[in-house]
């Protein structure tokens, strides 16, 4: 029998400036408003995640886009428990407000809906099929977390609590996430004499409190966020706060789209509106104006308007709608081709690394061996449990898409072919 998940307590297996807390100690901390109001939050530890998307150009060739860097910040253990607890409190109030406003079906991300992006994309495609002749307007908000205005967030936070000013404990949490401090993880390691390749391991702490004051704070490597907008990505409460920030936006845009006889959905910074063609004339301007009203900016490179028409009883589109990693052209539901390009690149590098490793080991073996296939199969084929192929098969089943199965079918042959070719070079 599966153990029931605790509403907010979660042991975190990483090393930070403080030591892990037991449930009893964490409960004593987070349930005392006076203690939280006076709590000294440690700086967030920050590291940068680099990602590179691969897309097909008009000629069909795979092209790598510039590397995108995204800073991820994670809180000390005591701080993280506070964020989780207050996130749990706010989440209950937020869910009640969504239901009260009748928009609980429009906000998709960062909620316990027991659905994935596969289900959300499929729901959108099915709504389009049901509506028939319609327009799907999709856009993306640029630098979402970095541009959330503190004043508006504070106002909506207080509104959820039913007060005009945040209580001292809530204000302390709010302030720690808006006027936060952070330090780069690599700089901390250097300041404390830790190796990047061999840092302290859980459940150790990075340093004692005196060493923190002398070697970290004293070294001047702690940075302050001084802007009037932006919250860190990575804290246990950040995702929820982004939804809370957009509460009024969601209510207004839902009312606008509903009045046009359509459907509105938002998944984090992805906005999708589906309306009858006759009601879509000024949709772009309306959505963009509303986004600007909340201090945010539309990403025009990721904005598209798809016209769905019925010809000879068949639903067609002027071009496929791209939504949450999938394409829909009115008939077929497909995984985006860019995802296959990224997977093929990972597969190629994975087989190449396996070949180099095997070649190195063969130097000390009496009888040379071929590449061990088991790990490659687990990572790059349907024989694994958690990989791109298994994800694709799950999507194909949920979306009931034969076209998606056809997309996935050649991947096994490509993997086997790459391994055989690599073995031939040993």
């Amino acid at each position: 029998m599966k153990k029931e998940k605790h509403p907010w307590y979660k042991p975190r297996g990483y090393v930070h400036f403080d030591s892990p807390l037991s449930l009893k100690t964490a409960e004593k901390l987070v349930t005392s408003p006076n203690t939280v109001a006076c709590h000294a939050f440690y700086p967030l530890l920050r590291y940068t995640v680099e990602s590179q998307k691969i897309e097909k150009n008009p000629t069909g060739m795979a092209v790598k886009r510039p590397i995108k860097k995204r800073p991820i910040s994670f809180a000390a253990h005591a701080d993280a428990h506070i964020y989780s607890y207050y996130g749990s409190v706010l989440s209950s109030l937020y869910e009640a407000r969504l239901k009260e406003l009748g928009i609980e079906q429009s906000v998709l991300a960062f909620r316990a809906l027991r659905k994935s992006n596969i289900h959300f994309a499929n729901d959108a495609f099915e709504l389009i099929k049901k509506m028939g002749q319609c327009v799907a307007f999709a856009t993306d908000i640029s630098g979402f977390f970095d541009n959330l205005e503190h004043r508006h967030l504070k106002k909506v936070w207080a509104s959820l609590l039913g007060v005009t000013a945040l209580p001292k404990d809530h204000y302390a949490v709010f302030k720690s996430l808006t006027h936060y401090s952070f330090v780069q993880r690599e700089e901390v390691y250097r300041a404390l004499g830790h190796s990047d390749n061999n840092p302290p391991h859980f459940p150790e702490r990075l340093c004692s409190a005196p060493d923190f004051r002398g070697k970290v704070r004293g070294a001047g490597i702690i940075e302050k966020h001084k802007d009037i907008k932006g919250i860190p990505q990575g804290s246990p409460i950040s995702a929820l706060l982004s939804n809370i920030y957009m509460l009024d936006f969601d209510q207004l845009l839902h009312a606008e789209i509903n009045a046009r006889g359509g459907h509105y959905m938002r998944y984090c910074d992805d906005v999708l509106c589906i309306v009858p063609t006759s009601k879509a004339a000024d949709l772009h301007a309306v959505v963009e104006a509303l986004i600007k009203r909340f201090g945010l900016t539309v990403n025009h490179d990721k904005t598209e308007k798809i016209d769905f028409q019925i010809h000879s009883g068949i639903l067609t589109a002027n071009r496929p709608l791209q939504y949450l990693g999938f394409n829909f052209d009115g008939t077929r539901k497909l995984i985006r081709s860019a995802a296959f390009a990224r997977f093929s690149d990972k597969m190629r590098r994975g087989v190449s690394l396996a070949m180099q490793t095997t070649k190195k080991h063969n130097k000390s073996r009496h009888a040379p061996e071929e590449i061990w296939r088991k790990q490659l199969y687990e990572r790059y084929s349907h024989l694994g449990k958690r990989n791109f192929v298994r994800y694709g098969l799950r999507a194909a089943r949920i979306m009931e898409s034969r076209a998606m199965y056809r997309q996935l079918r050649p991947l096994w042959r490509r993997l086997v072919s790459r391994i055989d070719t690599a073995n031939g070079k040993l």
Side-chain angles (χ1 to χ4, degrees), residues 201-242:
H201 296 287
F202 181 83
E204 298 177 50
R205 59 188 297 181
L206 279 172
C207 61
S208 64
D211 278 348
F212 171 78
R213 291 190 293 269
K215 297 181 179 180
V216 179
R217 192 178 299 281
I221 59 176
I222 298 176
E223 300 178 57
K224 296 279 188 179
H225 180 76
K226 298 179 180 179
D227 204 344
I228 59 173
K229 59 185 180 179
I231 63 173
Q233 292 188 58
S235 85
I237 198 175
S238 295
L240 172 64
L241 292 182
S242 71

Side-chain angles (χ1 to χ4, degrees), residues 110 142-148 229-233 238-240 242 268:
F110 314 133
S142 297
F144 186 45
F145 284 86
D146 294 335
N147 290 293
L148 303 182
K229 59 185 180 179
I231 63 173
Q233 292 188 58
S238 295
L240 172 64
S242 71
C268 188

Side-chain angles (χ1 to χ4, degrees), residues 208-407:
S208 64
D211 278 348
F212 171 78
R213 291 190 293 269
K215 297 181 179 180
V216 179
R217 192 178 299 281
I221 59 176
I222 298 176
E223 300 178 57
K224 296 279 188 179
H225 180 76
K226 298 179 180 179
D227 204 344
I228 59 173
K229 59 185 180 179
I231 63 173
Q233 292 188 58
S235 85
I237 198 175
S238 295
L240 172 64
L241 292 182
S242 71
N243 271 347
I244 290 174
Y245 183 93
M246 298 293 282
L247 192 54
D248 294 337
F249 172 90
D250 292 329
Q251 181 186 4
L252 291 169
L253 191 51
H254 176 272
E256 174 68 29
I257 301 305
N258 193 55
R260 296 173 184 237
H263 302 276
Y264 160 64
M265 285 154 280
R266 181 178 64 80
Y267 189 96
C268 188
D269 54 0
D270 286 320
V271 174
L272 177 64
C273 303
I274 304 166
V275 298
T277 303
S278 60
K279 303 291 182 65
D282 59 344
L283 189 57
H284 189 160
V286 169
V287 175
E288 184 166 3
L290 192 58
I291 288 174
K292 287 183 179 179
R293 179 174 162 182
F294 285 84
L296 302 169
T297 306
V298 167
N299 185 344
H300 292 286
D301 292 337
K302 293 185 179 181
T303 298
E304 56 182 3
K305 175 175 169 285
I306 312 299
D307 293 302
F308 288 91
Q309 304 285 338
I310 298 177
H311 296 290
S312 303
I314 298 174
L315 185 64
T316 62
N318 59 330
R319 65 178 182 275
L321 168 65
Q322 298 184 26
Y323 187 55
L324 302 183
F326 299 93
N327 286 351
F328 179 60
D329 62 5
T331 303
R332 298 178 304 163
K333 302 170 186 176
L334 298 167
I335 301 171
R336 289 184 61 185
S337 57
F340 283 90
R342 288 194 299 272
F343 175 72
S344 294
D345 187 53
K346 287 182 180 178
M347 182 199 296
R348 178 188 59 77
R349 287 186 281 112
V351 174
S352 177
L353 178 61
M355 180 185 70
Q356 297 301 327
T357 302
T358 303
K359 187 180 292 186
K360 180 180 178 181
H361 289 169
N362 279 346
K363 290 180 179 180
S364 59
R365 288 171 177 156
H366 296 295
E369 295 183 3
E370 291 189 337
I371 291 172
W372 289 3
R373 296 172 181 254
K374 183 178 179 181
Q375 191 174 56
L376 292 174
Y377 287 166
E378 288 178 350
R379 290 182 179 179
Y380 306 112
S381 83
H382 62 284
L383 298 176
K385 293 181 179 180
R386 296 178 62 87
N387 58 42
F388 173 77
V389 178
R390 296 295 296 185
Y391 170 80
L393 291 171
R394 185 166 69 254
R397 175 177 52 80
I398 291 171
M399 295 189 175
E400 298 180 343
S401 171
R402 289 183 176 274
M404 211 174 285
Y405 282 118
R406 287 194 291 271
Q407 279 185 295

Side-chain angles (χ1 to χ4, degrees), residues 10-293:
K10 175 185 176 182
R12 292 171 170 83
Y14 55 69
V15 178
H16 216 291
F17 292 122
D18 63 347
S19 300
L21 274 64
S22 66
L23 173 58
K24 184 177 179 180
T25 304
E27 281 183 332
K28 184 178 179 181
L29 168 65
V30 305
T31 56
S32 171
N34 290 335
T35 303
V36 172
C38 301
H39 181 73
F41 289 84
Y42 272 112
L44 300 163
L45 274 183
R46 175 170 288 187
Y47 64 96
T48 302
V49 173
E50 295 185 354
S51 60
Q52 187 174 43
K53 290 188 175 181
I54 300 176
E55 296 182 347
K56 287 190 175 181
N57 62 18
T59 64
M61 291 183 61
V63 178
K64 291 184 178 181
R65 295 185 64 183
I67 294 175
K68 183 178 180 180
K69 296 183 178 182
R70 184 164 60 98
I72 300 296
S73 306
F74 57 107
H77 293 281
D79 303 348
H81 290 310
I82 292 174
Y83 294 145
S84 293
Y85 175 77
Y86 278 77
S88 177
V89 172
L90 289 173
S91 180
S92 298
L93 297 172
Y94 174 72
E95 291 295 329
R97 183 67 62 84
L98 287 181
K99 191 171 182 180
E100 176 188 329
L101 297 173
I103 60 174
E104 66 270 23
Q105 300 299 319
S106 292
V107 184
L108 308 179
F110 314 133
R111 297 174 60 208
L113 299 177
R114 298 189 177 183
K115 285 186 173 184
S116 68
N117 64 309
I118 299 172
H119 297 92
F120 298 136
N122 191 52
D123 290 346
F125 300 158
E126 289 298 316
L127 285 171
I128 292 170
K129 287 169 65 177
K130 185 177 180 180
M131 189 173 291
Q133 188 162 309
C134 63
V135 166
F137 177 75
T139 191
D140 180 271
I141 299 173
S142 297
F144 186 45
F145 284 86
D146 294 335
N147 290 293
L148 303 182
E149 294 181 345
H150 299 164
R151 182 165 29 173
H152 179 71
L153 176 61
K154 185 180 177 183
K155 177 183 174 183
V156 185
W157 192 327
S159 174
L160 275 182
L161 296 174
V163 297
T164 55
L166 290 178
K168 290 183 179 180
D169 56 325
H170 280 266
Y171 180 72
V173 177
F174 165 80
K175 188 176 179 181
S176 73
L177 289 160
T178 51
H179 297 85
Y180 60 91
S181 60
F182 64 94
V183 60
Q184 300 295 338
R185 186 171 59 182
E186 292 77 11
E187 292 189 16
V188 170
Y189 288 168
R190 285 197 292 271
L192 295 173
H194 298 310
S195 167
D196 290 351
N197 299 320
N198 188 30
H201 296 287
F202 181 83
E204 298 177 50
R205 59 188 297 181
L206 279 172
C207 61
S208 64
D211 278 348
F212 171 78
R213 291 190 293 269
K215 297 181 179 180
V216 179
R217 192 178 299 281
I221 59 176
I222 298 176
E223 300 178 57
K224 296 279 188 179
H225 180 76
K226 298 179 180 179
D227 204 344
I228 59 173
K229 59 185 180 179
I231 63 173
Q233 292 188 58
S235 85
I237 198 175
S238 295
L240 172 64
L241 292 182
S242 71
N243 271 347
I244 290 174
Y245 183 93
M246 298 293 282
L247 192 54
D248 294 337
F249 172 90
D250 292 329
Q251 181 186 4
L252 291 169
L253 191 51
H254 176 272
E256 174 68 29
I257 301 305
N258 193 55
R260 296 173 184 237
H263 302 276
Y264 160 64
M265 285 154 280
R266 181 178 64 80
Y267 189 96
C268 188
D269 54 0
D270 286 320
V271 174
L272 177 64
C273 303
I274 304 166
V275 298
T277 303
S278 60
K279 303 291 182 65
D282 59 344
L283 189 57
H284 189 160
V286 169
V287 175
E288 184 166 3
L290 192 58
I291 288 174
K292 287 183 179 179
R293 179 174 162 182

